[in-house]
PDB file of all heavy atoms in Angstrom:
ATOM      1  N   ILE N 237      39.671-157.198 -47.563  1.00 88.00           N
ATOM      2  CA  ILE N 237      38.944-156.996 -46.336  1.00 88.00           C
ATOM      3  C   ILE N 237      37.568-156.302 -46.604  1.00 88.00           C
ATOM      4  O   ILE N 237      37.489-155.320 -47.400  1.00 88.00           O
ATOM      5  CB  ILE N 237      39.735-156.243 -45.319  1.00 88.00           C
ATOM      6  CG1 ILE N 237      40.911-157.073 -44.870  1.00 88.00           C
ATOM      7  CG2 ILE N 237      38.820-155.835 -44.206  1.00 88.00           C
ATOM      8  CD1 ILE N 237      41.762-156.228 -43.932  1.00 88.00           C
ATOM      9  N   GLU N 238      36.548-156.807 -46.167  1.00 90.00           N
ATOM     10  CA  GLU N 238      35.198-156.248 -46.275  1.00 90.00           C
ATOM     11  C   GLU N 238      34.696-155.681 -44.925  1.00 90.00           C
ATOM     12  O   GLU N 238      34.727-156.301 -43.886  1.00 90.00           O
ATOM     13  CB  GLU N 238      34.156-157.326 -46.755  1.00 90.00           C
ATOM     14  CG  GLU N 238      34.506-157.858 -48.111  1.00 90.00           C
ATOM     15  CD  GLU N 238      33.374-158.801 -48.540  1.00 90.00           C
ATOM     16  OE1 GLU N 238      32.328-158.964 -47.859  1.00 90.00           O
ATOM     17  OE2 GLU N 238      33.550-159.454 -49.654  1.00 90.00           O
ATOM     18  N   ALA N 239      34.092-154.448 -45.057  1.00 90.00           N
ATOM     19  CA  ALA N 239      33.566-153.766 -43.909  1.00 90.00           C
ATOM     20  C   ALA N 239      32.262-154.582 -43.427  1.00 90.00           C
ATOM     21  O   ALA N 239      31.611-155.200 -44.240  1.00 90.00           O
ATOM     22  CB  ALA N 239      33.204-152.347 -44.279  1.00 90.00           C
ATOM     23  N   THR N 240      31.989-154.452 -42.182  1.00 91.00           N
ATOM     24  CA  THR N 240      30.763-155.124 -41.695  1.00 91.00           C
ATOM     25  C   THR N 240      29.529-154.242 -41.629  1.00 91.00           C
ATOM     26  O   THR N 240      28.431-154.743 -41.553  1.00 91.00           O
ATOM     27  CB  THR N 240      31.077-155.596 -40.251  1.00 91.00           C
ATOM     28  OG1 THR N 240      31.382-154.356 -39.442  1.00 91.00           O
ATOM     29  CG2 THR N 240      32.229-156.574 -40.218  1.00 91.00           C
ATOM     30  N   GLY N 241      29.680-152.998 -41.606  1.00 93.00           N
ATOM     31  CA  GLY N 241      28.623-151.982 -41.539  1.00 93.00           C
ATOM     32  C   GLY N 241      28.104-151.925 -40.031  1.00 93.00           C
ATOM     33  O   GLY N 241      27.089-151.345 -39.746  1.00 93.00           O
ATOM     34  N   ARG N 242      28.911-152.267 -39.170  1.00 92.00           N
ATOM     35  CA  ARG N 242      28.553-152.383 -37.727  1.00 92.00           C
ATOM     36  C   ARG N 242      28.612-150.942 -37.079  1.00 92.00           C
ATOM     37  O   ARG N 242      29.550-150.211 -37.272  1.00 92.00           O
ATOM     38  CB  ARG N 242      29.374-153.258 -36.936  1.00 92.00           C
ATOM     39  CG  ARG N 242      28.885-153.427 -35.428  1.00 92.00           C
ATOM     40  CD  ARG N 242      29.695-154.469 -34.629  1.00 92.00           C
ATOM     41  NE  ARG N 242      29.139-154.724 -33.353  1.00 92.00           N
ATOM     42  CZ  ARG N 242      29.644-155.531 -32.442  1.00 92.00           C
ATOM     43  NH1 ARG N 242      30.597-156.315 -32.779  1.00 92.00           N
ATOM     44  NH2 ARG N 242      29.086-155.515 -31.198  1.00 92.00           N
ATOM     45  N   MET N 243      27.556-150.662 -36.395  1.00 89.00           N
ATOM     46  CA  MET N 243      27.542-149.350 -35.622  1.00 89.00           C
ATOM     47  C   MET N 243      27.614-149.714 -34.064  1.00 89.00           C
ATOM     48  O   MET N 243      26.959-150.723 -33.735  1.00 89.00           O
ATOM     49  CB  MET N 243      26.096-148.598 -35.869  1.00 89.00           C
ATOM     50  CG  MET N 243      26.042-148.155 -37.262  1.00 89.00           C
ATOM     51  SD  MET N 243      24.363-147.474 -37.590  1.00 89.00           S
ATOM     52  CE  MET N 243      24.171-146.244 -36.261  1.00 89.00           C
ATOM     53  N   SER N 244      28.443-149.002 -33.438  1.00 86.00           N
ATOM     54  CA  SER N 244      28.583-149.252 -31.967  1.00 86.00           C
ATOM     55  C   SER N 244      27.458-148.527 -31.220  1.00 86.00           C
ATOM     56  O   SER N 244      27.201-147.375 -31.273  1.00 86.00           O
ATOM     57  CB  SER N 244      29.902-148.645 -31.420  1.00 86.00           C
ATOM     58  OG  SER N 244      30.042-148.837 -30.083  1.00 86.00           O
ATOM     59  N   ILE N 245      26.600-149.385 -30.556  1.00 87.00           N
ATOM     60  CA  ILE N 245      25.397-148.903 -29.875  1.00 87.00           C
ATOM     61  C   ILE N 245      25.435-149.452 -28.505  1.00 87.00           C
ATOM     62  O   ILE N 245      26.067-150.451 -28.242  1.00 87.00           O
ATOM     63  CB  ILE N 245      24.098-149.270 -30.669  1.00 87.00           C
ATOM     64  CG1 ILE N 245      23.920-150.733 -30.701  1.00 87.00           C
ATOM     65  CG2 ILE N 245      24.007-148.547 -31.967  1.00 87.00           C
ATOM     66  CD1 ILE N 245      22.598-151.205 -31.282  1.00 87.00           C
ATOM     67  N   ARG N 246      24.645-148.813 -27.546  1.00 87.00           N
ATOM     68  CA  ARG N 246      24.449-149.391 -26.264  1.00 87.00           C
ATOM     69  C   ARG N 246      23.032-149.707 -26.042  1.00 87.00           C
ATOM     70  O   ARG N 246      22.084-148.851 -26.225  1.00 87.00           O
ATOM     71  CB  ARG N 246      24.953-148.397 -25.164  1.00 87.00           C
ATOM     72  CG  ARG N 246      26.531-148.116 -25.399  1.00 87.00           C
ATOM     73  CD  ARG N 246      26.965-147.338 -24.135  1.00 87.00           C
ATOM     74  NE  ARG N 246      26.967-148.101 -22.925  1.00 87.00           N
ATOM     75  CZ  ARG N 246      27.335-147.645 -21.720  1.00 87.00           C
ATOM     76  NH1 ARG N 246      27.722-146.367 -21.635  1.00 87.00           N
ATOM     77  NH2 ARG N 246      27.262-148.456 -20.615  1.00 87.00           N
ATOM     78  N   MET N 247      22.700-150.872 -25.640  1.00 90.00           N
ATOM     79  CA  MET N 247      21.361-151.389 -25.456  1.00 90.00           C
ATOM     80  C   MET N 247      21.027-151.260 -23.905  1.00 90.00           C
ATOM     81  O   MET N 247      21.765-151.334 -23.016  1.00 90.00           O
ATOM     82  CB  MET N 247      21.246-152.826 -25.939  1.00 90.00           C
ATOM     83  CG  MET N 247      21.622-153.093 -27.372  1.00 90.00           C
ATOM     84  SD  MET N 247      20.639-152.109 -28.516  1.00 90.00           S
ATOM     85  CE  MET N 247      19.090-152.887 -28.347  1.00 90.00           C
ATOM     86  N   ALA N 248      19.647-151.140 -23.629  1.00 90.00           N
ATOM     87  CA  ALA N 248      19.056-151.103 -22.468  1.00 90.00           C
ATOM     88  C   ALA N 248      17.683-151.654 -22.526  1.00 90.00           C
ATOM     89  O   ALA N 248      17.175-151.830 -23.603  1.00 90.00           O
ATOM     90  CB  ALA N 248      19.169-149.621 -21.921  1.00 90.00           C
ATOM     91  N   HIS N 249      17.026-151.700 -21.457  1.00 89.00           N
ATOM     92  CA  HIS N 249      15.543-152.038 -21.354  1.00 89.00           C
ATOM     93  C   HIS N 249      14.791-151.035 -22.396  1.00 89.00           C
ATOM     94  O   HIS N 249      15.100-149.951 -22.314  1.00 89.00           O
ATOM     95  CB  HIS N 249      14.924-151.982 -20.009  1.00 89.00           C
ATOM     96  CG  HIS N 249      13.598-152.519 -19.880  1.00 89.00           C
ATOM     97  ND1 HIS N 249      12.476-151.744 -20.276  1.00 89.00           N
ATOM     98  CD2 HIS N 249      13.123-153.631 -19.362  1.00 89.00           C
ATOM     99  CE1 HIS N 249      11.385-152.403 -20.047  1.00 89.00           C
ATOM    100  NE2 HIS N 249      11.788-153.582 -19.553  1.00 89.00           N
ATOM    101  N   PRO N 250      13.925-151.543 -23.131  1.00 90.00           N
ATOM    102  CA  PRO N 250      13.207-150.701 -24.052  1.00 90.00           C
ATOM    103  C   PRO N 250      12.691-149.382 -23.448  1.00 90.00           C
ATOM    104  O   PRO N 250      12.693-148.325 -24.086  1.00 90.00           O
ATOM    105  CB  PRO N 250      12.082-151.492 -24.628  1.00 90.00           C
ATOM    106  CG  PRO N 250      12.625-152.871 -24.452  1.00 90.00           C
ATOM    107  CD  PRO N 250      13.472-152.961 -23.233  1.00 90.00           C
ATOM    108  N   ARG N 251      12.231-149.401 -22.100  1.00 91.00           N
ATOM    109  CA  ARG N 251      11.694-148.266 -21.493  1.00 91.00           C
ATOM    110  C   ARG N 251      12.881-147.275 -21.196  1.00 91.00           C
ATOM    111  O   ARG N 251      12.544-145.981 -21.401  1.00 91.00           O
ATOM    112  CB  ARG N 251      11.134-148.627 -20.152  1.00 91.00           C
ATOM    113  CG  ARG N 251      10.453-147.502 -19.438  1.00 91.00           C
ATOM    114  CD  ARG N 251       9.857-147.937 -18.093  1.00 91.00           C
ATOM    115  NE  ARG N 251      10.867-148.375 -17.132  1.00 91.00           N
ATOM    116  CZ  ARG N 251      11.213-149.630 -16.762  1.00 91.00           C
ATOM    117  NH1 ARG N 251      10.568-150.594 -17.388  1.00 91.00           N
ATOM    118  NH2 ARG N 251      12.136-149.915 -15.943  1.00 91.00           N
ATOM    119  N   LEU N 252      14.089-147.659 -20.981  1.00 92.00           N
ATOM    120  CA  LEU N 252      15.076-146.762 -20.781  1.00 92.00           C
ATOM    121  C   LEU N 252      15.844-146.343 -22.164  1.00 92.00           C
ATOM    122  O   LEU N 252      16.250-145.248 -22.251  1.00 92.00           O
ATOM    123  CB  LEU N 252      16.277-147.375 -19.972  1.00 92.00           C
ATOM    124  CG  LEU N 252      15.911-147.795 -18.550  1.00 92.00           C
ATOM    125  CD1 LEU N 252      17.025-148.672 -17.892  1.00 92.00           C
ATOM    126  CD2 LEU N 252      15.487-146.616 -17.749  1.00 92.00           C
ATOM    127  N   LEU N 253      15.749-147.187 -23.090  1.00 93.00           N
ATOM    128  CA  LEU N 253      16.288-146.972 -24.512  1.00 93.00           C
ATOM    129  C   LEU N 253      15.468-145.894 -25.182  1.00 93.00           C
ATOM    130  O   LEU N 253      16.002-145.085 -25.887  1.00 93.00           O
ATOM    131  CB  LEU N 253      16.346-148.207 -25.261  1.00 93.00           C
ATOM    132  CG  LEU N 253      16.989-148.184 -26.714  1.00 93.00           C
ATOM    133  CD1 LEU N 253      18.410-147.740 -26.720  1.00 93.00           C
ATOM    134  CD2 LEU N 253      16.725-149.515 -27.386  1.00 93.00           C
ATOM    135  N   LYS N 254      14.142-145.941 -25.004  1.00 94.00           N
ATOM    136  CA  LYS N 254      13.202-145.091 -25.630  1.00 94.00           C
ATOM    137  C   LYS N 254      13.502-143.565 -25.409  1.00 94.00           C
ATOM    138  O   LYS N 254      13.706-143.134 -24.264  1.00 94.00           O
ATOM    139  CB  LYS N 254      11.829-145.340 -25.276  1.00 94.00           C
ATOM    140  CG  LYS N 254      10.767-144.523 -26.109  1.00 94.00           C
ATOM    141  CD  LYS N 254       9.388-144.846 -25.654  1.00 94.00           C
ATOM    142  CE  LYS N 254       8.327-144.074 -26.482  1.00 94.00           C
ATOM    143  NZ  LYS N 254       6.990-144.448 -26.190  1.00 94.00           N
ATOM    144  N   GLY N 255      13.811-142.841 -26.451  1.00 93.00           N
ATOM    145  CA  GLY N 255      14.125-141.416 -26.320  1.00 93.00           C
ATOM    146  C   GLY N 255      15.600-141.067 -26.106  1.00 93.00           C
ATOM    147  O   GLY N 255      15.984-139.902 -26.122  1.00 93.00           O
ATOM    148  N   SER N 256      16.430-142.143 -25.879  1.00 92.00           N
ATOM    149  CA  SER N 256      17.807-141.880 -25.602  1.00 92.00           C
ATOM    150  C   SER N 256      18.546-141.625 -26.940  1.00 92.00           C
ATOM    151  O   SER N 256      17.994-141.809 -28.027  1.00 92.00           O
ATOM    152  CB  SER N 256      18.430-143.003 -24.866  1.00 92.00           C
ATOM    153  OG  SER N 256      18.483-144.131 -25.793  1.00 92.00           O
ATOM    154  N   SER N 257      19.834-141.264 -26.883  1.00 89.00           N
ATOM    155  CA  SER N 257      20.575-141.050 -28.106  1.00 89.00           C
ATOM    156  C   SER N 257      20.770-142.313 -28.890  1.00 89.00           C
ATOM    157  O   SER N 257      21.161-142.303 -30.102  1.00 89.00           O
ATOM    158  CB  SER N 257      21.995-140.497 -27.785  1.00 89.00           C
ATOM    159  OG  SER N 257      22.730-141.240 -26.800  1.00 89.00           O
ATOM    160  N   TYR N 258      20.665-143.461 -28.311  1.00 90.00           N
ATOM    161  CA  TYR N 258      20.715-144.815 -29.013  1.00 90.00           C
ATOM    162  C   TYR N 258      19.477-145.325 -29.557  1.00 90.00           C
ATOM    163  O   TYR N 258      19.478-146.309 -30.241  1.00 90.00           O
ATOM    164  CB  TYR N 258      21.427-145.809 -28.084  1.00 90.00           C
ATOM    165  CG  TYR N 258      22.829-145.514 -27.741  1.00 90.00           C
ATOM    166  CD1 TYR N 258      23.212-144.939 -26.535  1.00 90.00           C
ATOM    167  CD2 TYR N 258      23.814-145.848 -28.568  1.00 90.00           C
ATOM    168  CE1 TYR N 258      24.476-144.603 -26.194  1.00 90.00           C
ATOM    169  CE2 TYR N 258      25.259-145.553 -28.388  1.00 90.00           C
ATOM    170  CZ  TYR N 258      25.580-144.888 -27.213  1.00 90.00           C
ATOM    171  OH  TYR N 258      26.780-144.630 -26.884  1.00 90.00           O
ATOM    172  N   ASP N 259      18.297-144.611 -29.292  1.00 95.00           N
ATOM    173  CA  ASP N 259      17.047-145.000 -29.835  1.00 95.00           C
ATOM    174  C   ASP N 259      16.917-144.403 -31.231  1.00 95.00           C
ATOM    175  O   ASP N 259      16.196-143.514 -31.477  1.00 95.00           O
ATOM    176  CB  ASP N 259      15.937-144.482 -28.960  1.00 95.00           C
ATOM    177  CG  ASP N 259      14.685-145.013 -29.337  1.00 95.00           C
ATOM    178  OD1 ASP N 259      14.514-146.015 -30.022  1.00 95.00           O
ATOM    179  OD2 ASP N 259      13.582-144.493 -28.990  1.00 95.00           O
ATOM    180  N   ILE N 260      17.774-144.982 -32.180  1.00 95.00           N
ATOM    181  CA  ILE N 260      17.882-144.411 -33.530  1.00 95.00           C
ATOM    182  C   ILE N 260      16.763-144.820 -34.378  1.00 95.00           C
ATOM    183  O   ILE N 260      16.157-145.774 -34.226  1.00 95.00           O
ATOM    184  CB  ILE N 260      19.240-144.809 -34.119  1.00 95.00           C
ATOM    185  CG1 ILE N 260      19.289-146.408 -34.137  1.00 95.00           C
ATOM    186  CG2 ILE N 260      20.431-144.256 -33.310  1.00 95.00           C
ATOM    187  CD1 ILE N 260      20.549-146.884 -34.860  1.00 95.00           C
ATOM    188  N   ALA N 261      16.436-143.832 -35.324  1.00 96.00           N
ATOM    189  CA  ALA N 261      15.382-144.154 -36.389  1.00 96.00           C
ATOM    190  C   ALA N 261      15.946-145.234 -37.281  1.00 96.00           C
ATOM    191  O   ALA N 261      17.160-145.200 -37.705  1.00 96.00           O
ATOM    192  CB  ALA N 261      15.151-142.841 -37.184  1.00 96.00           C
TER     193      ALA N 261
END
């Protein structure tokens, strides 16, 4: 079995996403 490297994130409009905890570097 091979890992996917997937991270669980929550998407939103870029304006709402910006600066949130999901706006990762």
Side-chain angles (χ1 to χ4, degrees):
I237 291 175
E238 294 186 7
T240 62
R242 184 175 184 180
M243 295 171 55
S244 179
I245 60 173
R246 297 191 68 184
M247 304 299 296
H249 188 282
R251 185 179 67 255
L252 299 175
L253 182 64
K254 185 177 180 179
S256 72
S257 59
Y258 290 99
D259 189 21
I260 56 178

